[in-house]
Structures are given as C-alpha cells and as structure tokens.
Amino acid sequence: MTAAGLNVRHFTHTDLPEIRQTLIDVHADALADEMDDPFNQRFPWFVDHWGGRPGFACVIAYDGDKAVGFAYGAPGSPGREWWREHLDPAPEKHRTFSYSELAVIPAWRKQGVSERLTRALLEDRDEDLVVLLVDTEHPRVQALYESWGFRKVGKDQPFPDSPVFAVMLAELPLP
C-alpha cells in the first residue's frame, strides 16, 4: 500500500451532491474514536458550508472504488483574511486559499496519502497563500504541515465548542 498507487480525483462545487456522502463517510471512519464529540458530529454542516462556495475544490483518493481520504477548501473572501490578525506585519500578498479539511482512514495513514492529497489540492492554485487550522492537541500533525512549508502564526478557537487550533500559513506553490 502506497499513496502512489491511489487514484486521486478532483471535484468542484458542482460535484458536491455526488461526493457529499463520501466525505461524511470517510470523515466518520477517520475520526471513529472521536465521533462522540458534538463538534465532530457537525461535520456535515461544514461540508455543506464549504461545498456551497463557488470556488470549492476537493480531492478524493481512491483505492479501486473505495475512498480512503480527501482534502478540500475554498478561496478566502477578499478583505476577510482573519488570519492576518496573527501577523505584524501581515504579508503583502493577500489572495488566500482556505484549506479546510483533510481526512485519511486509519488503514491508509503513514503511507504518504496526506501529503499527496495536500499537494494535489494545492497544485495550480491561483492564490498566493494557503491557511489552515490544526488542533493543538495533535503536534505531530502540525509538524507534518511544517515539513511541507507551513508555519504556525498563531492560535484560534473559531467556535465555542471547537478545539483550540494552531493557525498555519504557507506561500503557494508549496516547496
């Protein structure tokens, strides 16, 4: 099992009705031990929120017909780059892609799937920067993003019931 053998397919906003349940199922499998958390149970709302954006981009990795992981996000709204409050001075570049979600089922972890999905999602983006949030309780995940060119610029808790997240930023294209 290696990430190189997976079929990574690209999807957009118009594909959401076709892929919505796949995203929800992979997420539930990836977070099976944490699905009693009300925040994680709200994932379908996040799929609809992000998938409802016209610039929504998603990649799903398949092993044959089985989805084993996904990554998605959408361009940030100009003038609403909330992450800028963590930097002084903020970068001159401003067009930002908001990388919202990455999930890989347990059987496919540590096979390079996360990096393959991340790079597939972010390749050929028009934006200058990419921002994402990582649960501060997962320092190894943060270190993984750092190895791909992201840097921690602050912390945020966007919802009262969400974890505290490390705010991570990278220039595009990734190195």
Side-chain angles (χ1 to χ4, degrees), residues 42-55:
R42 289 201 342 247
F43 181 70
W45 179 88
F46 288 102
V47 170
D48 295 337
H49 171 77
W50 287 98
R53 295 178 178 212

Side-chain angles (χ1 to χ4, degrees), residues 36-115:
D36 58 340
D37 181 328
F39 184 74
N40 290 334
Q41 292 172 5
R42 289 201 342 247
F43 181 70
W45 179 88
F46 288 102
V47 170
D48 295 337
H49 171 77
W50 287 98
R53 295 178 178 212
F56 174 75
C58 178
V59 291
I60 302 176
Y62 292 90
D63 178 19
D65 292 336
K66 180 174 176 51
V68 300
F70 68 83
Y72 70 70
S77 300
R80 294 190 63 208
E81 295 97 4
W82 55 269
W83 53 266
R84 287 181 173 278
E85 69 189 48
H86 298 286
L87 296 170
D88 187 22
E92 289 184 27
K93 295 178 179 182
H94 61 87
R95 294 177 311 137
T96 307
F97 184 79
S98 297
Y99 185 172
S100 178
E101 193 72 39
L102 169 68
V104 176
I105 66 171
W108 276 92
R109 290 185 186 148
K110 300 183 182 185
Q111 306 296 323
V113 178
S114 293
E115 182 174 12

